[in-house]
Amino acid sequence: KRLILIGPPGSGKGTQSPIIKDEYCLCHLATGDMLRAAVAAKTPLGVKAKEAMDKGELVSDDLVVGIIDEAIKKPSCQKGFILDGFPRTVVQAEKLDDMLTKQGTKIEKVLNFAIDDAVLEERITGRWIHPPSGRTYHTKYAPPKVPGIDDVSGEPLIQRKDDTAEVLKSRLEAFHRQTEPVIDYYNKKGVVSQLHAEKPPKEVTAEIQKSLS
Ligand code: AP5
Ligand code: ZN
């Protein structure tokens, strides 16, 4: 399957991705995760992306399109993929179409994580992550067994630098202005499934499974 996950910050894309990925044997391509790894490693890409990310603005289309173009060709992605956080602008969506047309494939489903903005601040400010594995926790909704420690590896959890109420405002603004038009773009193609992303994680998973069956 070739899937896109679209939704505002904190809507649950990164929480659902590992579950869906394992169930359907897909690769998980999350541009935010890839960019954060590049920032941490101080690669040329990371250096270019850092300023926009810290402010909660989108990085340039060329940078992220380059990352996806390279990743999507990998053997592990040939059976299918989940795009989490990409495309986020109509230009990115058009470039993705070009890439897939060249491969003779196309997007089968766009999962729209619909949710009210008011719920997101609590989700974002309570989030803790384990970057090496991508595991995500929440102080209230998905607490680790030991606070600040990853359940599986015993390694420390961290909070994202952009997970403040202040930066969230810019991220939400970018979502409404630049990413919501992408949902319309795919609505015209008739491939969008709307999820009730405010429901508990297991119910959201069930909705996704239903829409993919
Ligand atoms: P990115 O990493 O993509 O961040 P985002 O879109 O803001 O999304 P999040 O990762 O914050 O939310 P999520 O939906 O994954 O939520 P999660 O499942 O973790 O992008 C970061 C930055 O990189 C951007 O601002 C931009 O600068 C740059 N960037 C990335 N891609 C780009 C692109 N294509 N173009 C340009 N720039 C790009 O859940 C959140 C919390 O809620 C967790 O604690 C979780 O445990 C909890 N939770 C999840 N589901 C539920 C539920 N159902 N009920 C209760 N709690 C829940
Ligand atoms: Zn995420």
Side-chain angles (χ1 to χ4, degrees):
K1 294 196 186 294
R2 293 178 177 80
L3 313 175
I4 292 174
L5 273 44
I6 296 192
S11 56
K13 306 178 297 290
T15 299
Q16 298 296 331
S17 288
I19 304 169
I20 303 305
K21 167 193 159 184
D22 288 347
E23 184 165 343
Y24 297 93
C25 296
L26 308 174
C27 75
H28 174 209
L29 301 177
T31 39
D33 293 350
M34 293 169 174
L35 290 168
R36 276 185 291 281
V39 170
K42 298 196 170 70
T43 67
L45 170 74
V47 171
K48 283 185 202 146
K50 187 177 187 310
E51 199 186 321
M53 292 179 76
D54 285 349
K55 285 195 282 188
E57 293 167 5
L58 296 186
V59 309
S60 77
D61 288 333
D62 286 345
L63 282 188
V64 285
V65 167
I67 304 182
I68 290 294
D69 193 22
E70 201 175 300
I72 223 164
K73 290 176 188 152
K74 291 193 176 150
S76 57
C77 292
Q78 296 316 303
K79 278 193 187 154
F81 51 73
I82 300 173
L83 296 176
D84 163 359
F86 180 94
R88 253 176 156 94
T89 64
V90 171
V91 170
Q92 292 177 20
E94 290 167 350
K95 295 262 167 81
L96 175 65
D97 272 349
D98 294 344
M99 284 177 221
L100 295 178
T101 304
K102 273 185 207 145
Q103 294 191 352
T105 61
K106 62 179 175 148
I107 293 298
E108 285 155 57
K109 192 66 100 181
V110 175
L111 299 169
N112 176 17
F113 284 64
I115 189 165
D116 202 275
D117 281 5
V119 189
L120 300 172
E121 185 177 319
E122 193 192 25
R123 285 213 192 164
I124 286 293
T125 53
R127 169 164 59 186
W128 289 81
I129 57 171
H130 179 246
S133 69
R135 275 184 287 277
T136 298
Y137 299 86
H138 190 280
T139 45
K140 184 166 162 192
Y141 302 115
K145 289 186 189 116
V146 180
I149 301 291
D150 176 47
D151 287 353
V152 179
S153 67
E155 290 166 354
L157 301 175
I158 61 154
Q159 285 194 291
R160 270 167 55 175
K161 201 176 172 204
D162 59 348
D163 275 354
T164 62
E166 188 62 31
V167 179
L168 175 63
K169 285 193 193 116
S170 318
R171 290 160 65 195
L172 277 173
E173 194 192 303
F175 176 78
H176 291 302
R177 192 163 56 87
Q178 293 168 281
T179 308
E180 270 178 348
V182 178
I183 301 172
D184 292 335
Y185 177 90
Y186 288 108
N187 262 329
K188 290 191 187 113
K189 297 179 189 275
V191 293
V192 179
S193 288
Q194 175 118 335
L195 307 173
H196 296 89
E198 76 289 348
K199 289 187 179 171
K202 286 206 173 91
E203 292 180 34
V204 178
T205 306
E207 282 192 8
I208 296 174
Q209 287 163 334
K210 203 172 158 200
S211 83
L212 297 181
S213 64

